[in-house]
Amino acid sequence: MKFMQTDKKKIRILFVCLGNICRSPAAEGIMKKFVDKNELQDIIEVDSAGTSGWHEGDLPDERMRAHGDARGYDFSSKARKFRKNDFDLFDYIIVMDDSNYKNVKSLANDNEQVSKIRMMTDFLVQNTHHNYIPDPYYGDSSGFELVLDLLEDANEGLLQAIKKKYSL
Ligand code: 4NP
Protein backbone atom coordinates (compact mmCIF):
# COMPACT_ATOMS: atom_id res chain seq x y z
CA MET A 1 0.00 0.00 0.00
CA LYS A 2 2.75 2.40 0.98
CA PHE A 3 4.40 2.37 -2.47
CA MET A 4 1.21 2.34 -4.54
CA GLN A 5 2.21 5.66 -6.10
CA THR A 6 5.47 4.29 -7.63
CA ASP A 7 3.60 2.76 -10.59
CA LYS A 8 2.08 6.10 -11.46
CA LYS A 9 3.60 9.46 -12.09
CA LYS A 10 5.41 11.20 -9.27
CA ILE A 11 3.76 13.79 -7.06
CA ARG A 12 5.49 17.08 -7.86
CA ILE A 13 5.50 20.14 -5.62
CA LEU A 14 6.73 23.61 -6.66
CA PHE A 15 7.18 26.31 -4.01
CA VAL A 16 6.99 29.88 -5.32
CA CYS A 17 7.95 33.29 -3.84
CA LEU A 18 9.13 36.59 -5.34
CA GLY A 19 12.91 36.28 -5.54
CA ASN A 20 13.38 32.50 -5.12
CA ILE A 21 16.28 33.21 -2.77
CA CYS A 22 14.59 33.31 0.68
CA ARG A 23 11.19 31.71 1.30
CA SER A 24 10.69 29.23 -1.54
CA PRO A 25 14.19 27.65 -1.56
CA ALA A 26 13.83 27.27 2.23
CA ALA A 27 10.42 25.60 1.76
CA GLU A 28 12.02 23.32 -0.85
CA GLY A 29 14.95 22.36 1.41
CA ILE A 30 12.73 21.69 4.41
CA MET A 31 10.27 19.58 2.39
CA LYS A 32 13.12 17.59 0.81
CA LYS A 33 14.36 16.70 4.29
CA PHE A 34 10.85 15.68 5.41
CA VAL A 35 10.39 13.59 2.24
CA ASP A 36 13.71 11.80 2.86
CA LYS A 37 12.84 11.20 6.51
CA ASN A 38 9.57 9.59 5.40
CA GLU A 39 11.38 7.54 2.69
CA LEU A 40 9.17 9.10 0.02
CA GLN A 41 11.99 10.36 -2.23
CA ASP A 42 10.96 7.97 -5.07
CA ILE A 43 7.41 9.30 -4.95
CA ILE A 44 7.53 13.02 -4.16
CA GLU A 45 9.66 15.58 -6.06
CA VAL A 46 10.21 19.13 -4.84
CA ASP A 47 11.41 22.31 -6.60
CA SER A 48 11.08 26.09 -6.20
CA ALA A 49 10.85 29.20 -8.39
CA GLY A 50 10.36 32.97 -8.21
CA THR A 51 7.76 35.15 -9.90
CA SER A 52 10.62 37.54 -10.73
CA GLY A 53 13.83 36.56 -12.49
CA TRP A 54 15.87 39.08 -10.47
CA HIS A 55 18.13 36.49 -8.87
CA GLU A 56 18.20 33.87 -11.65
CA GLY A 57 21.07 31.42 -11.07
CA ASP A 58 21.86 32.68 -7.55
CA LEU A 59 22.17 30.50 -4.46
CA PRO A 60 19.70 31.29 -1.65
CA ASP A 61 20.33 34.43 0.42
CA GLU A 62 23.30 33.92 2.78
CA ARG A 63 21.20 34.82 5.82
CA MET A 64 18.57 32.24 4.92
CA ARG A 65 21.28 29.63 4.33
CA ALA A 66 22.84 30.34 7.74
CA HIS A 67 19.51 30.17 9.59
CA GLY A 68 18.66 26.94 7.75
CA ASP A 69 22.07 25.47 8.50
CA ALA A 70 21.53 26.10 12.23
CA ARG A 71 18.39 23.91 12.01
CA GLY A 72 20.14 21.17 10.02
CA TYR A 73 18.90 22.09 6.54
CA ASP A 74 20.84 22.56 3.31
CA PHE A 75 19.38 25.33 1.19
CA SER A 76 21.39 25.19 -2.04
CA SER A 77 19.07 25.26 -5.05
CA LYS A 78 19.75 27.92 -7.70
CA ALA A 79 17.08 30.55 -8.34
CA ARG A 80 14.93 30.38 -11.46
CA LYS A 81 11.84 32.18 -12.70
CA PHE A 82 8.38 30.57 -12.66
CA ARG A 83 7.36 29.44 -16.17
CA LYS A 84 3.93 28.85 -17.70
CA ASN A 85 4.76 25.20 -18.35
CA ASP A 86 5.30 24.66 -14.61
CA PHE A 87 1.51 24.26 -14.55
CA ASP A 88 1.93 21.12 -16.69
CA LEU A 89 4.89 19.76 -14.73
CA PHE A 90 3.68 20.20 -11.13
CA ASP A 91 0.68 18.93 -9.15
CA TYR A 92 1.00 21.49 -6.34
CA ILE A 93 2.10 25.09 -6.87
CA ILE A 94 2.46 26.50 -3.38
CA VAL A 95 2.80 30.28 -3.05
CA MET A 96 3.93 32.33 -0.06
CA ASP A 97 1.73 35.44 -0.24
CA ASP A 98 -1.18 37.10 -2.06
CA SER A 99 1.09 38.88 -4.51
CA ASN A 100 2.71 35.57 -5.54
CA TYR A 101 -0.80 34.09 -5.89
CA LYS A 102 -1.94 36.89 -8.17
CA ASN A 103 1.21 36.78 -10.33
CA VAL A 104 1.13 32.99 -10.76
CA LYS A 105 -2.62 32.98 -11.41
CA SER A 106 -2.19 35.54 -14.19
CA LEU A 107 -0.14 32.93 -16.11
CA ALA A 108 -2.70 30.11 -15.79
CA ASN A 109 -4.54 28.93 -18.92
CA ASP A 110 -7.65 27.51 -17.30
CA ASN A 111 -9.39 26.68 -14.02
CA GLU A 112 -7.63 23.33 -13.73
CA GLN A 113 -4.29 25.15 -13.63
CA VAL A 114 -5.63 27.74 -11.17
CA SER A 115 -6.78 24.91 -8.88
CA LYS A 116 -3.15 23.75 -8.53
CA ILE A 117 -2.19 27.04 -6.83
CA ARG A 118 -2.41 26.94 -3.04
CA MET A 119 -1.29 29.29 -0.26
CA MET A 120 1.47 27.79 1.93
CA THR A 121 -0.42 29.07 4.99
CA ASP A 122 -3.42 26.83 4.09
CA PHE A 123 -1.34 23.93 5.43
CA LEU A 124 -0.36 25.44 8.80
CA VAL A 125 -1.28 23.23 11.72
CA GLN A 126 0.05 25.21 14.72
CA ASN A 127 0.41 28.83 13.55
CA THR A 128 -3.01 29.04 11.95
CA HIS A 129 -3.43 32.78 12.55
CA HIS A 130 -0.90 33.59 9.78
CA ASN A 131 -2.35 34.04 6.29
CA TYR A 132 0.88 34.64 4.37
CA ILE A 133 4.60 33.87 4.77
CA PRO A 134 6.20 37.30 5.34
CA ASP A 135 9.08 38.33 3.08
CA PRO A 136 12.20 38.43 5.33
CA TYR A 137 14.49 40.11 2.75
CA TYR A 138 14.53 43.64 4.21
CA GLY A 139 14.14 42.61 7.86
CA ASP A 140 16.36 41.29 10.66
CA SER A 141 17.15 37.76 11.82
CA SER A 142 13.83 37.40 13.68
CA GLY A 143 12.08 37.51 10.28
CA PHE A 144 14.15 34.58 9.01
CA GLU A 145 13.41 32.57 12.15
CA LEU A 146 9.67 33.26 11.81
CA VAL A 147 9.75 32.15 8.15
CA LEU A 148 11.46 28.88 9.13
CA ASP A 149 8.96 28.27 11.96
CA LEU A 150 6.06 28.78 9.55
CA LEU A 151 7.61 26.73 6.74
CA GLU A 152 8.32 23.78 9.05
CA ASP A 153 4.76 23.88 10.36
CA ALA A 154 3.13 24.19 6.91
CA ASN A 155 5.36 21.52 5.35
CA GLU A 156 4.36 19.07 8.10
CA GLY A 157 0.71 19.83 7.28
CA LEU A 158 1.26 19.59 3.53
CA LEU A 159 3.06 16.26 3.79
CA GLN A 160 0.31 14.86 6.02
CA ALA A 161 -2.33 16.02 3.50
CA ILE A 162 -0.46 14.38 0.61
CA LYS A 163 0.11 11.14 2.54
CA LYS A 164 -3.60 10.99 3.32
CA LYS A 165 -4.74 11.85 -0.20
CA TYR A 166 -2.48 9.26 -1.89
CA SER A 167 -2.58 6.63 0.89
CA LEU A 168 1.19 6.82 1.35
P1 4NP B 1 11.90 35.88 -1.44
O1 4NP B 1 12.52 37.24 -0.85
O2 4NP B 1 10.75 36.29 -2.34
O3 4NP B 1 11.44 35.15 -0.22
O4 4NP B 1 13.02 35.19 -2.18
C1 4NP B 1 12.97 38.29 -1.64
C2 4NP B 1 14.22 38.22 -2.20
C3 4NP B 1 14.71 39.28 -2.95
C4 4NP B 1 13.93 40.42 -3.13
C5 4NP B 1 12.68 40.47 -2.56
C6 4NP B 1 12.19 39.41 -1.83
N1 4NP B 1 14.43 41.51 -3.87
O5 4NP B 1 13.81 42.59 -3.84
O6 4NP B 1 15.51 41.39 -4.50
Side-chain angles (χ1 to χ4, degrees):
M1 191 68 170
K2 193 173 179 202
F3 292 102
M4 212 170 68
Q5 194 64 25
T6 47
D7 299 334
K8 304 179 197 157
K9 81 179 202 29
K10 287 190 174 183
I11 300 160
R12 296 191 166 89
I13 308 167
L14 182 69
F15 294 105
V16 179
C17 62
L18 172 61
N20 193 210
I21 55 167
C22 292
R23 294 164 293 174
S24 63
E28 175 190 350
I30 291 168
M31 189 52 128
K32 276 186 174 154
K33 189 158 184 185
F34 288 4
V35 163
D36 286 352
K37 214 160 46 184
N38 283 267
E39 298 183 358
L40 292 169
Q41 61 276 6
D42 295 332
I43 299 172
I44 299 176
E45 269 186 19
V46 189
D47 194 7
S48 67
T51 56
S52 78
W54 299 336
H55 296 277
E56 197 107 48
D58 291 355
L59 281 171
D61 184 283
E62 266 180 40
R63 297 162 297 172
M64 186 50 97
R65 298 189 76 192
H67 282 271
D69 206 49
R71 296 191 188 203
Y73 299 112
D74 176 29
F75 301 152
S76 53
S77 61
K78 300 257 178 77
R80 73 164 175 93
K81 191 174 180 181
F82 180 83
R83 304 180 274 263
K84 264 175 91 72
N85 86 323
D86 285 322
F87 282 114
D88 300 321
L89 302 177
F90 292 90
D91 304 291
Y92 292 85
I93 296 169
I94 313 278
V95 299
M96 302 296 144
D97 61 31
D98 291 332
S99 168
N100 307 151
Y101 187 92
K102 202 170 107 234
N103 287 324
V104 170
K105 190 180 172 202
S106 73
L107 298 172
N109 284 333
D110 53 37
N111 285 338
E112 194 199 329
Q113 293 192 341
V114 172
S115 72
K116 291 185 174 187
I117 313 169
R118 300 289 302 274
M119 290 288 280
M120 186 63 166
T121 46
D122 288 352
F123 299 98
L124 287 168
V125 179
Q126 314 282 342
N127 302 274
T128 50
H129 55 290
H130 288 264
N131 51 16
Y132 66 97
I133 308 293
D135 183 350
Y137 192 67
Y138 293 106
D140 62 18
S141 67
S142 66
F144 287 86
E145 285 300 303
L146 173 63
V147 166
L148 291 180
D149 288 344
L150 297 177
L151 294 179
E152 286 179 332
D153 181 357
N155 267 328
E156 288 279 5
L158 174 59
L159 190 55
Q160 288 315 315
I162 290 173
K163 284 169 79 169
K164 195 170 168 197
K165 178 169 176 184
Y166 295 93
S167 306
L168 298 172

PDB file of all heavy atoms in Angstrom, residues 16-25 50 52 54-55 61 63-64 96-97 100 133-138 147, ligand 1:
ATOM      1  N   VAL A  16       6.749  28.632  -4.578  1.00  0.00           N
ATOM      2  CA  VAL A  16       6.992  29.880  -5.317  1.00  0.00           C
ATOM      3  C   VAL A  16       6.955  31.092  -4.384  1.00  0.00           C
ATOM      4  O   VAL A  16       6.035  31.222  -3.556  1.00  0.00           O
ATOM      5  CB  VAL A  16       5.922  30.069  -6.425  1.00  0.00           C
ATOM      6  CG1 VAL A  16       6.156  31.371  -7.183  1.00  0.00           C
ATOM      7  CG2 VAL A  16       5.932  28.886  -7.408  1.00  0.00           C
ATOM      8  N   CYS A  17       7.977  31.981  -4.515  1.00  0.00           N
ATOM      9  CA  CYS A  17       7.947  33.289  -3.839  1.00  0.00           C
ATOM     10  C   CYS A  17       8.346  34.353  -4.851  1.00  0.00           C
ATOM     11  O   CYS A  17       8.271  34.101  -6.059  1.00  0.00           O
ATOM     12  CB  CYS A  17       8.833  33.279  -2.597  1.00  0.00           C
ATOM     13  SG  CYS A  17      10.591  32.992  -2.913  1.00  0.00           S
ATOM     14  N   LEU A  18       8.791  35.506  -4.399  1.00  0.00           N
ATOM     15  CA  LEU A  18       9.129  36.592  -5.338  1.00  0.00           C
ATOM     16  C   LEU A  18      10.531  36.404  -5.936  1.00  0.00           C
ATOM     17  O   LEU A  18      10.703  36.338  -7.148  1.00  0.00           O
ATOM     18  CB  LEU A  18       9.013  37.939  -4.600  1.00  0.00           C
ATOM     19  CG  LEU A  18       9.496  39.186  -5.335  1.00  0.00           C
ATOM     20  CD1 LEU A  18       8.705  39.405  -6.621  1.00  0.00           C
ATOM     21  CD2 LEU A  18       9.371  40.421  -4.430  1.00  0.00           C
ATOM     22  N   GLY A  19      11.533  36.301  -5.065  1.00  0.00           N
ATOM     23  CA  GLY A  19      12.914  36.278  -5.541  1.00  0.00           C
ATOM     24  C   GLY A  19      13.497  34.892  -5.742  1.00  0.00           C
ATOM     25  O   GLY A  19      14.521  34.727  -6.394  1.00  0.00           O
ATOM     26  N   ASN A  20      12.873  33.887  -5.143  1.00  0.00           N
ATOM     27  CA  ASN A  20      13.382  32.504  -5.124  1.00  0.00           C
ATOM     28  C   ASN A  20      14.769  32.419  -4.474  1.00  0.00           C
ATOM     29  O   ASN A  20      15.595  31.589  -4.848  1.00  0.00           O
ATOM     30  CB  ASN A  20      13.390  31.882  -6.536  1.00  0.00           C
ATOM     31  CG  ASN A  20      13.605  30.362  -6.558  1.00  0.00           C
ATOM     32  OD1 ASN A  20      14.161  29.818  -7.517  1.00  0.00           O
ATOM     33  ND2 ASN A  20      13.206  29.666  -5.525  1.00  0.00           N
ATOM     34  N   ILE A  21      15.018  33.327  -3.511  1.00  0.00           N
ATOM     35  CA  ILE A  21      16.278  33.211  -2.768  1.00  0.00           C
ATOM     36  C   ILE A  21      16.064  33.143  -1.248  1.00  0.00           C
ATOM     37  O   ILE A  21      17.010  32.886  -0.514  1.00  0.00           O
ATOM     38  CB  ILE A  21      17.281  34.349  -3.095  1.00  0.00           C
ATOM     39  CG1 ILE A  21      16.644  35.723  -2.861  1.00  0.00           C
ATOM     40  CG2 ILE A  21      17.844  34.205  -4.509  1.00  0.00           C
ATOM     41  CD1 ILE A  21      17.671  36.858  -2.850  1.00  0.00           C
ATOM     42  N   CYS A  22      14.838  33.397  -0.772  1.00  0.00           N
ATOM     43  CA  CYS A  22      14.590  33.315   0.677  1.00  0.00           C
ATOM     44  C   CYS A  22      13.534  32.253   1.012  1.00  0.00           C
ATOM     45  O   CYS A  22      13.865  31.142   1.419  1.00  0.00           O
ATOM     46  CB  CYS A  22      14.172  34.665   1.252  1.00  0.00           C
ATOM     47  SG  CYS A  22      15.497  35.905   1.231  1.00  0.00           S
ATOM     48  N   ARG A  23      12.259  32.590   0.818  1.00  0.00           N
ATOM     49  CA  ARG A  23      11.190  31.712   1.303  1.00  0.00           C
ATOM     50  C   ARG A  23      11.058  30.403   0.535  1.00  0.00           C
ATOM     51  O   ARG A  23      11.001  29.321   1.141  1.00  0.00           O
ATOM     52  CB  ARG A  23       9.855  32.474   1.292  1.00  0.00           C
ATOM     53  CG  ARG A  23       9.815  33.620   2.281  1.00  0.00           C
ATOM     54  CD  ARG A  23       8.672  34.562   1.991  1.00  0.00           C
ATOM     55  NE  ARG A  23       8.841  35.282   0.738  1.00  0.00           N
ATOM     56  CZ  ARG A  23       7.959  36.079   0.179  1.00  0.00           C
ATOM     57  NH1 ARG A  23       6.802  36.260   0.779  1.00  0.00           N
ATOM     58  NH2 ARG A  23       8.213  36.706  -0.949  1.00  0.00           N
ATOM     59  N   SER A  24      10.976  30.478  -0.803  1.00  0.00           N
ATOM     60  CA  SER A  24      10.690  29.231  -1.542  1.00  0.00           C
ATOM     61  C   SER A  24      11.854  28.228  -1.557  1.00  0.00           C
ATOM     62  O   SER A  24      11.597  27.023  -1.444  1.00  0.00           O
ATOM     63  CB  SER A  24      10.146  29.506  -2.947  1.00  0.00           C
ATOM     64  OG  SER A  24      11.070  30.184  -3.747  1.00  0.00           O
ATOM     65  N   PRO A  25      13.131  28.665  -1.657  1.00  0.00           N
ATOM     66  CA  PRO A  25      14.193  27.647  -1.558  1.00  0.00           C
ATOM     67  C   PRO A  25      14.263  27.029  -0.157  1.00  0.00           C
ATOM     68  O   PRO A  25      14.652  25.871   0.000  1.00  0.00           O
ATOM     69  CB  PRO A  25      15.473  28.406  -1.906  1.00  0.00           C
ATOM     70  CG  PRO A  25      15.140  29.848  -1.722  1.00  0.00           C
ATOM     71  CD  PRO A  25      13.677  29.992  -1.979  1.00  0.00           C
ATOM     72  N   GLY A  50      10.769  31.628  -8.588  1.00  0.00           N
ATOM     73  CA  GLY A  50      10.358  32.974  -8.209  1.00  0.00           C
ATOM     74  C   GLY A  50       9.474  33.581  -9.291  1.00  0.00           C
ATOM     75  O   GLY A  50       9.623  33.242 -10.461  1.00  0.00           O
ATOM     76  N   SER A  52       9.688  36.651 -10.028  1.00  0.00           N
ATOM     77  CA  SER A  52      10.624  37.538 -10.726  1.00  0.00           C
ATOM     78  C   SER A  52      11.836  36.709 -11.149  1.00  0.00           C
ATOM     79  O   SER A  52      12.079  35.638 -10.596  1.00  0.00           O
ATOM     80  CB  SER A  52      11.111  38.650  -9.784  1.00  0.00           C
ATOM     81  OG  SER A  52      12.101  38.145  -8.895  1.00  0.00           O
ATOM     82  N   TRP A  54      14.820  38.165 -10.949  1.00  0.00           N
ATOM     83  CA  TRP A  54      15.865  39.079 -10.473  1.00  0.00           C
ATOM     84  C   TRP A  54      17.131  38.364  -9.999  1.00  0.00           C
ATOM     85  O   TRP A  54      18.217  38.915 -10.056  1.00  0.00           O
ATOM     86  CB  TRP A  54      15.349  39.934  -9.295  1.00  0.00           C
ATOM     87  CG  TRP A  54      14.183  40.797  -9.631  1.00  0.00           C
ATOM     88  CD1 TRP A  54      13.847  41.257 -10.876  1.00  0.00           C
ATOM     89  CD2 TRP A  54      13.205  41.315  -8.727  1.00  0.00           C
ATOM     90  NE1 TRP A  54      12.715  42.023 -10.785  1.00  0.00           N
ATOM     91  CE2 TRP A  54      12.293  42.088  -9.487  1.00  0.00           C
ATOM     92  CE3 TRP A  54      13.006  41.210  -7.349  1.00  0.00           C
ATOM     93  CZ2 TRP A  54      11.206  42.738  -8.924  1.00  0.00           C
ATOM     94  CZ3 TRP A  54      11.922  41.858  -6.777  1.00  0.00           C
ATOM     95  CH2 TRP A  54      11.035  42.616  -7.563  1.00  0.00           C
ATOM     96  N   HIS A  55      16.977  37.178  -9.470  1.00  0.00           N
ATOM     97  CA  HIS A  55      18.133  36.493  -8.873  1.00  0.00           C
ATOM     98  C   HIS A  55      18.466  35.191  -9.599  1.00  0.00           C
ATOM     99  O   HIS A  55      19.114  34.314  -9.037  1.00  0.00           O
ATOM    100  CB  HIS A  55      17.874  36.235  -7.381  1.00  0.00           C
ATOM    101  CG  HIS A  55      17.735  37.486  -6.585  1.00  0.00           C
ATOM    102  ND1 HIS A  55      18.814  38.186  -6.101  1.00  0.00           N
ATOM    103  CD2 HIS A  55      16.650  38.202  -6.226  1.00  0.00           C
ATOM    104  CE1 HIS A  55      18.399  39.271  -5.460  1.00  0.00           C
ATOM    105  NE2 HIS A  55      17.080  39.302  -5.523  1.00  0.00           N
ATOM    106  N   ASP A  61      19.772  33.355  -0.402  1.00  0.00           N
ATOM    107  CA  ASP A  61      20.330  34.432   0.417  1.00  0.00           C
ATOM    108  C   ASP A  61      21.180  33.841   1.559  1.00  0.00           C
ATOM    109  O   ASP A  61      20.762  32.889   2.224  1.00  0.00           O
ATOM    110  CB  ASP A  61      19.135  35.220   0.990  1.00  0.00           C
ATOM    111  CG  ASP A  61      19.558  36.419   1.786  1.00  0.00           C
ATOM    112  OD1 ASP A  61      19.990  36.227   2.946  1.00  0.00           O
ATOM    113  OD2 ASP A  61      19.427  37.542   1.272  1.00  0.00           O
ATOM    114  N   ARG A  63      21.836  34.821   4.493  1.00  0.00           N
ATOM    115  CA  ARG A  63      21.201  34.823   5.824  1.00  0.00           C
ATOM    116  C   ARG A  63      20.257  33.635   5.945  1.00  0.00           C
ATOM    117  O   ARG A  63      20.221  32.946   6.969  1.00  0.00           O
ATOM    118  CB  ARG A  63      20.446  36.137   6.053  1.00  0.00           C
ATOM    119  CG  ARG A  63      21.337  37.373   6.071  1.00  0.00           C
ATOM    120  CD  ARG A  63      20.536  38.636   5.870  1.00  0.00           C
ATOM    121  NE  ARG A  63      19.874  38.681   4.567  1.00  0.00           N
ATOM    122  CZ  ARG A  63      18.985  39.589   4.190  1.00  0.00           C
ATOM    123  NH1 ARG A  63      18.634  40.545   5.035  1.00  0.00           N
ATOM    124  NH2 ARG A  63      18.438  39.560   2.985  1.00  0.00           N
ATOM    125  N   MET A  64      19.491  33.376   4.888  1.00  0.00           N
ATOM    126  CA  MET A  64      18.566  32.240   4.923  1.00  0.00           C
ATOM    127  C   MET A  64      19.338  30.925   5.000  1.00  0.00           C
ATOM    128  O   MET A  64      18.953  30.004   5.716  1.00  0.00           O
ATOM    129  CB  MET A  64      17.648  32.284   3.697  1.00  0.00           C
ATOM    130  CG  MET A  64      16.546  31.240   3.700  1.00  0.00           C
ATOM    131  SD  MET A  64      15.615  31.195   5.262  1.00  0.00           S
ATOM    132  CE  MET A  64      14.199  32.193   4.846  1.00  0.00           C
ATOM    133  N   MET A  96       3.671  31.834  -1.418  1.00  0.00           N
ATOM    134  CA  MET A  96       3.931  32.328  -0.061  1.00  0.00           C
ATOM    135  C   MET A  96       3.027  33.485   0.360  1.00  0.00           C
ATOM    136  O   MET A  96       2.777  33.666   1.550  1.00  0.00           O
ATOM    137  CB  MET A  96       5.408  32.773   0.062  1.00  0.00           C
ATOM    138  CG  MET A  96       6.394  31.667  -0.249  1.00  0.00           C
ATOM    139  SD  MET A  96       6.272  30.304   0.931  1.00  0.00           S
ATOM    140  CE  MET A  96       6.571  28.907  -0.143  1.00  0.00           C
ATOM    141  N   ASP A  97       2.580  34.294  -0.615  1.00  0.00           N
ATOM    142  CA  ASP A  97       1.728  35.439  -0.242  1.00  0.00           C
ATOM    143  C   ASP A  97       0.748  35.771  -1.362  1.00  0.00           C
ATOM    144  O   ASP A  97       0.776  35.149  -2.432  1.00  0.00           O
ATOM    145  CB  ASP A  97       2.580  36.656   0.174  1.00  0.00           C
ATOM    146  CG  ASP A  97       3.491  37.164  -0.941  1.00  0.00           C
ATOM    147  OD1 ASP A  97       3.126  37.044  -2.132  1.00  0.00           O
ATOM    148  OD2 ASP A  97       4.577  37.692  -0.627  1.00  0.00           O
ATOM    149  N   ASN A 100       2.269  36.752  -4.778  1.00  0.00           N
ATOM    150  CA  ASN A 100       2.711  35.573  -5.541  1.00  0.00           C
ATOM    151  C   ASN A 100       1.505  34.896  -6.171  1.00  0.00           C
ATOM    152  O   ASN A 100       1.532  34.476  -7.328  1.00  0.00           O
ATOM    153  CB  ASN A 100       3.398  34.516  -4.667  1.00  0.00           C
ATOM    154  CG  ASN A 100       4.545  34.975  -3.807  1.00  0.00           C
ATOM    155  OD1 ASN A 100       4.798  34.398  -2.752  1.00  0.00           O
ATOM    156  ND2 ASN A 100       5.251  36.018  -4.240  1.00  0.00           N
ATOM    157  N   ILE A 133       3.231  34.036   4.233  1.00  0.00           N
ATOM    158  CA  ILE A 133       4.596  33.874   4.767  1.00  0.00           C
ATOM    159  C   ILE A 133       5.311  35.192   4.496  1.00  0.00           C
ATOM    160  O   ILE A 133       5.559  35.547   3.330  1.00  0.00           O
ATOM    161  CB  ILE A 133       5.350  32.707   4.064  1.00  0.00           C
ATOM    162  CG1 ILE A 133       4.532  31.396   4.092  1.00  0.00           C
ATOM    163  CG2 ILE A 133       6.738  32.513   4.696  1.00  0.00           C
ATOM    164  CD1 ILE A 133       4.330  30.765   5.438  1.00  0.00           C
ATOM    165  N   PRO A 134       5.648  35.967   5.546  1.00  0.00           N
ATOM    166  CA  PRO A 134       6.199  37.304   5.338  1.00  0.00           C
ATOM    167  C   PRO A 134       7.590  37.283   4.703  1.00  0.00           C
ATOM    168  O   PRO A 134       8.436  36.466   5.075  1.00  0.00           O
ATOM    169  CB  PRO A 134       6.241  37.900   6.755  1.00  0.00           C
ATOM    170  CG  PRO A 134       6.175  36.746   7.683  1.00  0.00           C
ATOM    171  CD  PRO A 134       5.499  35.613   6.975  1.00  0.00           C
ATOM    172  N   ASP A 135       7.800  38.206   3.773  1.00  0.00           N
ATOM    173  CA  ASP A 135       9.081  38.334   3.084  1.00  0.00           C
ATOM    174  C   ASP A 135      10.147  38.806   4.074  1.00  0.00           C
ATOM    175  O   ASP A 135      10.015  39.899   4.633  1.00  0.00           O
ATOM    176  CB  ASP A 135       8.889  39.361   1.955  1.00  0.00           C
ATOM    177  CG  ASP A 135      10.127  39.542   1.116  1.00  0.00           C
ATOM    178  OD1 ASP A 135      11.199  39.024   1.490  1.00  0.00           O
ATOM    179  OD2 ASP A 135      10.019  40.219   0.084  1.00  0.00           O
ATOM    180  N   PRO A 136      11.203  38.041   4.317  1.00  0.00           N
ATOM    181  CA  PRO A 136      12.200  38.427   5.330  1.00  0.00           C
ATOM    182  C   PRO A 136      13.327  39.294   4.769  1.00  0.00           C
ATOM    183  O   PRO A 136      14.202  39.743   5.512  1.00  0.00           O
ATOM    184  CB  PRO A 136      12.769  37.063   5.762  1.00  0.00           C
ATOM    185  CG  PRO A 136      12.761  36.260   4.499  1.00  0.00           C
ATOM    186  CD  PRO A 136      11.518  36.723   3.727  1.00  0.00           C
ATOM    187  N   TYR A 137      13.313  39.554   3.450  1.00  0.00           N
ATOM    188  CA  TYR A 137      14.486  40.115   2.754  1.00  0.00           C
ATOM    189  C   TYR A 137      15.005  41.418   3.351  1.00  0.00           C
ATOM    190  O   TYR A 137      16.203  41.610   3.503  1.00  0.00           O
ATOM    191  CB  TYR A 137      14.157  40.296   1.273  1.00  0.00           C
ATOM    192  CG  TYR A 137      15.347  40.589   0.395  1.00  0.00           C
ATOM    193  CD1 TYR A 137      16.344  39.634   0.185  1.00  0.00           C
ATOM    194  CD2 TYR A 137      15.485  41.829  -0.246  1.00  0.00           C
ATOM    195  CE1 TYR A 137      17.429  39.897  -0.633  1.00  0.00           C
ATOM    196  CE2 TYR A 137      16.567  42.096  -1.069  1.00  0.00           C
ATOM    197  CZ  TYR A 137      17.534  41.131  -1.256  1.00  0.00           C
ATOM    198  OH  TYR A 137      18.611  41.402  -2.074  1.00  0.00           O
ATOM    199  N   TYR A 138      14.087  42.339   3.696  1.00  0.00           N
ATOM    200  CA  TYR A 138      14.527  43.643   4.209  1.00  0.00           C
ATOM    201  C   TYR A 138      14.494  43.728   5.736  1.00  0.00           C
ATOM    202  O   TYR A 138      14.666  44.807   6.308  1.00  0.00           O
ATOM    203  CB  TYR A 138      13.669  44.761   3.592  1.00  0.00           C
ATOM    204  CG  TYR A 138      13.916  44.899   2.111  1.00  0.00           C
ATOM    205  CD1 TYR A 138      12.972  44.446   1.186  1.00  0.00           C
ATOM    206  CD2 TYR A 138      15.108  45.443   1.642  1.00  0.00           C
ATOM    207  CE1 TYR A 138      13.220  44.551  -0.180  1.00  0.00           C
ATOM    208  CE2 TYR A 138      15.361  45.545   0.281  1.00  0.00           C
ATOM    209  CZ  TYR A 138      14.410  45.105  -0.624  1.00  0.00           C
ATOM    210  OH  TYR A 138      14.661  45.198  -1.959  1.00  0.00           O
ATOM    211  N   VAL A 147       9.998  32.850   9.423  1.00  0.00           N
ATOM    212  CA  VAL A 147       9.754  32.149   8.151  1.00  0.00           C
ATOM    213  C   VAL A 147      10.028  30.654   8.317  1.00  0.00           C
ATOM    214  O   VAL A 147       9.219  29.816   7.902  1.00  0.00           O
ATOM    215  CB  VAL A 147      10.621  32.744   7.007  1.00  0.00           C
ATOM    216  CG1 VAL A 147      10.634  31.823   5.796  1.00  0.00           C
ATOM    217  CG2 VAL A 147      10.095  34.120   6.616  1.00  0.00           C
TER     218      VAL A 147
HETATM  219  P1  4NP B   1      11.898  35.882  -1.437  1.00  0.00           P
HETATM  220  O1  4NP B   1      12.518  37.242  -0.847  1.00  0.00           O
HETATM  221  O2  4NP B   1      10.750  36.286  -2.340  1.00  0.00           O
HETATM  222  O3  4NP B   1      11.442  35.149  -0.216  1.00  0.00           O
HETATM  223  O4  4NP B   1      13.015  35.190  -2.182  1.00  0.00           O
HETATM  224  C1  4NP B   1      12.974  38.287  -1.642  1.00  0.00           C
HETATM  225  C2  4NP B   1      14.224  38.218  -2.197  1.00  0.00           C
HETATM  226  C3  4NP B   1      14.710  39.279  -2.949  1.00  0.00           C
HETATM  227  C4  4NP B   1      13.932  40.419  -3.128  1.00  0.00           C
HETATM  228  C5  4NP B   1      12.678  40.472  -2.563  1.00  0.00           C
HETATM  229  C6  4NP B   1      12.185  39.414  -1.832  1.00  0.00           C
HETATM  230  N1  4NP B   1      14.432  41.515  -3.868  1.00  0.00           N
HETATM  231  O5  4NP B   1      13.808  42.591  -3.840  1.00  0.00           O
HETATM  232  O6  4NP B   1      15.508  41.388  -4.503  1.00  0.00           O
END
